[in-house]
Amino acid sequence: MGKLVEEFNGYREKMNDRIMETANTNIKRFFALDTTSYADGALDVKTKEMLGLVASMVLRCDDCIKYHLGKCHEAGVNSEEMNEIFMIANLVGGSIVIPHYRRAVEYWDELNASA
């Protein structure tokens, strides 16, 4: 696994564990809702992760973008599909998404180099 991916996943896991040490019921429910919402249903996991990635790019959340890039990679999204995801995110979000697009491409490249 590349440095960007290892650092992100390690920090995310560490801080999620820390949050859960003192989380109240509402936070625990929110985390559970987030997890269960991306399970197979009328839409498959791959589609849901692609949607999550577009939304994250439009909302300009780098942590969310990295998370969904990793999940898309796990779900079998290929680079051709990813380029179309990036196109839609930039179309919907406008030019302000471009800096996030750059970082997303860098992270995607690292995910693929590690595979």
Side-chain angles (χ1 to χ4, degrees), residues 30-45:
F30 182 80
F31 273 63
L33 177 63
D34 182 63
T35 300
T36 58
S37 294
Y38 285 92
D40 271 325
L43 298 174
D44 62 12
V45 170

Side-chain angles (χ1 to χ4, degrees), residues 9-19 21:
N9 287 335
Y11 180 77
R12 184 177 180 280
E13 183 177 342
K14 172 185 154 187
M15 293 313 298
N16 281 351
D17 289 347
R18 173 64 185 97
I19 287 167
E21 289 173 6

Side-chain angles (χ1 to χ4, degrees), residues 53-62 65 85-104:
L53 178 55
V54 168
S56 297
M57 289 184 74
V58 170
L59 293 170
R60 303 183 306 275
C61 176
D62 283 331
I65 291 167
I85 294 165
F86 291 152
M87 177 201 59
I88 296 298
N90 279 278
L91 178 67
V92 173
S95 63
I96 197 161
V97 174
I98 292 172
H100 304 277
Y101 178 28
R102 290 182 191 115
R103 290 187 288 274

